[in-house]
Amino acid sequence: MAYFISQSLFFIIPLLIVALAGMFSEKSGTVNIALEGLMVIGAFCGILFINKMQGIGAFANSPQLLLIIAIVLAGMGGALFASLLGFLAINMKADQTIGGTALNLLAGSLAIFLAKQTQENHAVQITYDKEVFRLDSNFLSGIFPNLNYIFFDMAYLTTYIGILILIISTIVIYKTRFGARLSACGEHPEAVQSVGVNVYRYRWYGVLISGFLGGLGGLVYALPISVSFEGSVAGYGFLALAVLIFGQWKPLRILFAAIFFGIFKTLSVTFFGIGWIVWLMEQFPSVPFGMIFKILPYIATMIVLAIFSKKSRAPKASGKPFLGAAR
Amino acid sequence: MSEFKAKLSRMWLKYKETDGFHTLMGSLFAIGVGLLIGIILIVLVNPSESGEGIFRLIKGFMNHPRGAWIGLGQLLYRITPLIFTGLAVAFAFKTGLFNIGASGQYTVGLFAASMVGILGDSLGGFQWIIAVFAGMAAGFIWGAIPGIFKAFFNVHEVITSIMFNYIGMYLVNGLLNADFLRTRVVNGTTNRTLVVDQAARTPYGPFNAIFPNSGLDISFLIAVAAAIILFLVLNKTVFGRELKSVGMNRDAAKYSGVNEKRALILSMAISGMIAGLGGALFILAPSTRNLGNAYAIENIILPAGFNGIPVALLANSNPLGVILSTIFIGHISLGGLSMQSVGFVSEIVDIIIGVILYFSAFALIMTQYLGKVKDRIAKKKQDSLKTEDVVKEGEE
């Protein structure tokens, strides 16, 4: 069970962060279909930095500091890349789907292109040592061995960053003037403009926050699951988009959606280690359990969506360029 | 002769004011910027070889070792599946839906067609035709699902499409790994499906004579026919207008008497059917040396569907434009492959395509805006002339 939960965090935390990234952009009125691309750019920036620093032996004694710098760089890379979307969608008032698709295309090819230019022998893979980042602490192992295993031994700092982002996002959206204005820009920009708030500026904030979190989420996703980065995040950005819609553009529901999906997803890679499922598999050898567990996260999500989506509603003005209040 | 010239110039002036012209100008502008950035990258990466690199990029399909003509055949062979996924995405866009699930529909179409193509020995000469229909049917069903979820459960088609990309891929791979199919249709050593029977392969038609051994078969003609049919359905039929009206405003269409749920589901299903057709024709193609194609059983979503999105967007979702945009993308992709042998990474081409798409997004807006400014100036002139007339009349 402890193993299961610690594995599931590797799915849940990045989905949560990236879906929240999408939320900031869409709440302010810009549809962000480029989450996948933002993740790729963020993961690329962060992992390239780690690769280079580990290569010259820098930060050898303070791996967590290295990780924090890499995370900030990943976020900044994402924000910079997202500014391309902001310019297109907010200033040029162009089609956001086209812009997002273009950025997804650009991100993947740019990451591979730059990897080939910066790595020896034109290699696509950027390798890194992730073991140094594992918290590997035992301070609770005497009292709560399982909790210690999940949150202090196998975990990375990124888990806590994800939780922190969730808390801050919830407070910002619901309890601050900034959050209220941001949401209003995605619901009724004309009204916002009429009380003297600059809609364009708030939409830019939304897109930049989205880029920062999306890039950060890319690194959080890529780091623990592999030992090298190859310019792809395997469709996770699109899954995060699905989690965002599943979560109805609300932070806590996004958390629920990410956990729901993440648990089923974890089941699909760990089911052969779970006692009662193994027993079932032995009883019914002709049933293709492997396939069923792989499909389950997606089917379960669809069923839940079908039941709860009747009154679903996206931010009203999301996807519509703001043309100014002069009508 | 001069009359003809005058007629031509009148037609030109008329065409200059249409949206089609603005789109074309916007696309050309975007292509120019994209190529420029690609060339800059090539020069930056390796100045000494840049001349050869740029030359190969522009040459595209003409780099083929057996000459430009065979290269053209190879180009058309390679782009045919992309035309279908591009058409699928474009058709959905025209009816107000974003079909991001063409990959899944393509995969199930490919699977259904290859099952008929491998197991349907008793079908004789009809085998390939039935295989094609099986692929279309599978794509139709897979496309209808997001439509049903949207029509009845109010679930956004983007989320359902993404989910069913995964479900389709895992389902197909799971079925192929189940004992029954594993022993009959899978090559265990390569972990790929067997190639389809000879009778199940699409005929070369005239193309083996025109482009010998280029791989091109009648699939390309089917793609062109599909584009024309979709264009006509969207623009010349009541059915097409209904689908588009639902896309523009679901409620308004409903009140004007359109069965909006049915239209929505059909839009997605037809889009899926085209993607499925693309998958079917890919797997049934006799291919370059008549060896047939195979499907690799990997847990990866086939990129063919995603690649259809930029193709469709670049063509502004015009079915006929999709053919042109696919040819262009195929052309520079072949250029990119050829560039590799002089030391340039082929991803430069993907960057170029990304940049083109980015700029095409607002190039259209810019040209329209310039057009509007021109109109406004012209109108102002007219207005001021009119007021002068009024003033003159008043004086009299």
Short mmCIF file of all heavy atoms in Angstrom, two decimals, chain B residues 6-28:
data_model
loop_
_atom_site.label_atom_id
_atom_site.label_comp_id
_atom_site.label_asym_id
_atom_site.label_seq_id
_atom_site.Cartn_x
_atom_site.Cartn_y
_atom_site.Cartn_z
N ALA B 6 -9.26 41.90 -69.92
CA ALA B 6 -10.07 42.73 -69.04
C ALA B 6 -10.91 41.86 -68.12
O ALA B 6 -11.05 42.13 -66.92
CB ALA B 6 -10.97 43.65 -69.88
N LYS B 7 -11.43 40.77 -68.71
CA LYS B 7 -12.25 39.85 -67.92
C LYS B 7 -11.41 39.24 -66.81
O LYS B 7 -11.82 39.14 -65.66
CB LYS B 7 -12.81 38.76 -68.84
CG LYS B 7 -14.04 38.08 -68.30
CD LYS B 7 -14.60 37.09 -69.32
CE LYS B 7 -15.72 36.28 -68.71
NZ LYS B 7 -16.14 35.22 -69.63
N LEU B 8 -10.19 38.85 -67.21
CA LEU B 8 -9.28 38.24 -66.25
C LEU B 8 -8.97 39.21 -65.12
O LEU B 8 -8.96 38.85 -63.94
CB LEU B 8 -7.99 37.82 -66.98
CG LEU B 8 -7.35 36.53 -66.50
CD1 LEU B 8 -8.28 35.36 -66.75
CD2 LEU B 8 -6.02 36.30 -67.22
N SER B 9 -8.72 40.45 -65.47
CA SER B 9 -8.34 41.42 -64.44
C SER B 9 -9.53 41.72 -63.53
O SER B 9 -9.37 41.94 -62.35
CB SER B 9 -7.79 42.69 -65.08
OG SER B 9 -8.84 43.59 -65.36
N ARG B 10 -10.74 41.70 -64.13
CA ARG B 10 -11.93 41.90 -63.30
C ARG B 10 -12.07 40.76 -62.29
O ARG B 10 -12.34 40.97 -61.12
CB ARG B 10 -13.18 41.97 -64.18
CG ARG B 10 -13.60 43.39 -64.54
CD ARG B 10 -15.08 43.48 -64.84
NE ARG B 10 -15.52 42.55 -65.87
CZ ARG B 10 -15.35 42.74 -67.18
NH1 ARG B 10 -14.76 43.82 -67.63
NH2 ARG B 10 -15.79 41.85 -68.04
N MET B 11 -11.84 39.52 -62.81
CA MET B 11 -11.92 38.36 -61.93
C MET B 11 -10.89 38.46 -60.81
O MET B 11 -11.15 38.16 -59.66
CB MET B 11 -11.69 37.07 -62.73
CG MET B 11 -12.96 36.48 -63.30
SD MET B 11 -12.61 35.13 -64.45
CE MET B 11 -12.02 33.87 -63.34
N TRP B 12 -9.70 38.91 -61.18
CA TRP B 12 -8.62 39.06 -60.21
C TRP B 12 -9.00 40.06 -59.12
O TRP B 12 -8.84 39.82 -57.93
CB TRP B 12 -7.34 39.46 -60.94
CG TRP B 12 -6.25 39.97 -60.05
CD1 TRP B 12 -5.71 41.21 -60.05
CD2 TRP B 12 -5.55 39.24 -59.04
NE1 TRP B 12 -4.73 41.31 -59.12
CE2 TRP B 12 -4.61 40.11 -58.46
CE3 TRP B 12 -5.64 37.94 -58.55
CZ2 TRP B 12 -3.76 39.73 -57.43
CZ3 TRP B 12 -4.80 37.56 -57.51
CH2 TRP B 12 -3.86 38.45 -56.98
N LEU B 13 -9.56 41.21 -59.57
CA LEU B 13 -9.94 42.23 -58.60
C LEU B 13 -11.01 41.70 -57.65
O LEU B 13 -10.99 41.96 -56.45
CB LEU B 13 -10.47 43.47 -59.33
CG LEU B 13 -9.38 44.35 -59.95
CD1 LEU B 13 -10.00 45.47 -60.76
CD2 LEU B 13 -8.48 44.92 -58.86
N LYS B 14 -11.93 40.93 -58.22
CA LYS B 14 -12.99 40.36 -57.40
C LYS B 14 -12.40 39.37 -56.40
O LYS B 14 -12.75 39.37 -55.21
CB LYS B 14 -14.00 39.65 -58.32
CG LYS B 14 -15.42 39.71 -57.82
CD LYS B 14 -16.36 39.13 -58.87
CE LYS B 14 -17.70 38.77 -58.28
NZ LYS B 14 -18.50 38.01 -59.25
N TYR B 15 -11.48 38.52 -56.90
CA TYR B 15 -10.88 37.49 -56.05
C TYR B 15 -10.08 38.12 -54.91
O TYR B 15 -10.03 37.61 -53.80
CB TYR B 15 -10.00 36.58 -56.91
CG TYR B 15 -9.27 35.53 -56.11
CD1 TYR B 15 -9.99 34.55 -55.42
CD2 TYR B 15 -7.89 35.51 -56.02
CE1 TYR B 15 -9.35 33.59 -54.68
CE2 TYR B 15 -7.23 34.55 -55.27
CZ TYR B 15 -7.96 33.60 -54.60
OH TYR B 15 -7.32 32.65 -53.86
N LYS B 16 -9.47 39.30 -55.23
CA LYS B 16 -8.63 39.95 -54.23
C LYS B 16 -9.39 40.33 -52.97
O LYS B 16 -8.82 40.51 -51.91
CB LYS B 16 -7.98 41.21 -54.82
CG LYS B 16 -6.51 41.03 -55.13
CD LYS B 16 -5.97 42.19 -55.92
CE LYS B 16 -5.81 43.44 -55.07
NZ LYS B 16 -5.14 44.52 -55.82
N GLU B 17 -10.71 40.47 -53.11
CA GLU B 17 -11.51 40.89 -51.95
C GLU B 17 -12.03 39.71 -51.15
O GLU B 17 -12.64 39.88 -50.10
CB GLU B 17 -12.69 41.74 -52.42
CG GLU B 17 -12.28 43.00 -53.16
CD GLU B 17 -11.37 43.88 -52.32
OE1 GLU B 17 -11.68 44.06 -51.13
OE2 GLU B 17 -10.36 44.35 -52.86
N THR B 18 -11.82 38.47 -51.64
CA THR B 18 -12.43 37.33 -50.94
C THR B 18 -11.57 36.90 -49.75
O THR B 18 -10.38 37.20 -49.67
CB THR B 18 -12.58 36.13 -51.88
OG1 THR B 18 -11.27 35.77 -52.34
CG2 THR B 18 -13.46 36.44 -53.06
N ASP B 19 -12.23 36.14 -48.85
CA ASP B 19 -11.51 35.59 -47.70
C ASP B 19 -10.44 34.61 -48.16
O ASP B 19 -9.37 34.53 -47.57
CB ASP B 19 -12.49 34.86 -46.77
CG ASP B 19 -13.23 35.85 -45.89
OD1 ASP B 19 -12.87 37.03 -45.93
OD2 ASP B 19 -14.16 35.42 -45.20
N GLY B 20 -10.77 33.87 -49.24
CA GLY B 20 -9.82 32.89 -49.75
C GLY B 20 -8.49 33.55 -50.09
O GLY B 20 -7.43 33.03 -49.77
N PHE B 21 -8.56 34.71 -50.70
CA PHE B 21 -7.34 35.41 -51.07
C PHE B 21 -6.56 35.84 -49.83
O PHE B 21 -5.35 35.67 -49.75
CB PHE B 21 -7.68 36.63 -51.93
CG PHE B 21 -6.49 37.45 -52.31
CD1 PHE B 21 -5.60 37.00 -53.27
CD2 PHE B 21 -6.23 38.67 -51.68
CE1 PHE B 21 -4.49 37.76 -53.60
CE2 PHE B 21 -5.13 39.41 -52.01
CZ PHE B 21 -4.25 38.96 -52.97
N HIS B 22 -7.30 36.38 -48.85
CA HIS B 22 -6.63 36.80 -47.61
C HIS B 22 -5.94 35.62 -46.95
O HIS B 22 -4.82 35.73 -46.46
CB HIS B 22 -7.65 37.42 -46.65
CG HIS B 22 -8.08 38.78 -47.08
ND1 HIS B 22 -9.33 39.26 -46.85
CD2 HIS B 22 -7.42 39.75 -47.76
CE1 HIS B 22 -9.44 40.48 -47.36
NE2 HIS B 22 -8.29 40.80 -47.91
N THR B 23 -6.64 34.46 -46.94
CA THR B 23 -6.04 33.27 -46.34
C THR B 23 -4.76 32.90 -47.06
O THR B 23 -3.74 32.61 -46.45
CB THR B 23 -7.02 32.09 -46.44
OG1 THR B 23 -8.29 32.53 -46.02
CG2 THR B 23 -6.58 30.93 -45.57
N LEU B 24 -4.84 32.92 -48.39
CA LEU B 24 -3.69 32.53 -49.19
C LEU B 24 -2.50 33.46 -48.90
O LEU B 24 -1.38 33.02 -48.65
CB LEU B 24 -4.05 32.59 -50.68
CG LEU B 24 -2.99 32.06 -51.63
CD1 LEU B 24 -2.85 30.56 -51.47
CD2 LEU B 24 -3.33 32.41 -53.06
N MET B 25 -2.77 34.77 -48.90
CA MET B 25 -1.70 35.73 -48.63
C MET B 25 -1.12 35.52 -47.23
O MET B 25 0.09 35.53 -47.04
CB MET B 25 -2.25 37.17 -48.73
CG MET B 25 -2.46 37.63 -50.14
SD MET B 25 -0.88 37.78 -51.00
CE MET B 25 -1.06 36.67 -52.33
N GLY B 26 -2.02 35.30 -46.27
CA GLY B 26 -1.57 35.05 -44.90
C GLY B 26 -0.68 33.83 -44.83
O GLY B 26 0.39 33.86 -44.22
N SER B 27 -1.12 32.74 -45.50
CA SER B 27 -0.34 31.51 -45.47
C SER B 27 1.03 31.72 -46.11
O SER B 27 2.04 31.27 -45.58
CB SER B 27 -1.08 30.39 -46.20
OG SER B 27 -2.29 30.12 -45.56
N LEU B 28 1.05 32.44 -47.24
CA LEU B 28 2.33 32.66 -47.92
C LEU B 28 3.27 33.48 -47.04
O LEU B 28 4.47 33.18 -46.94
CB LEU B 28 2.10 33.37 -49.27
CG LEU B 28 1.45 32.50 -50.34
CD1 LEU B 28 1.24 33.29 -51.62
CD2 LEU B 28 2.28 31.25 -50.61
#
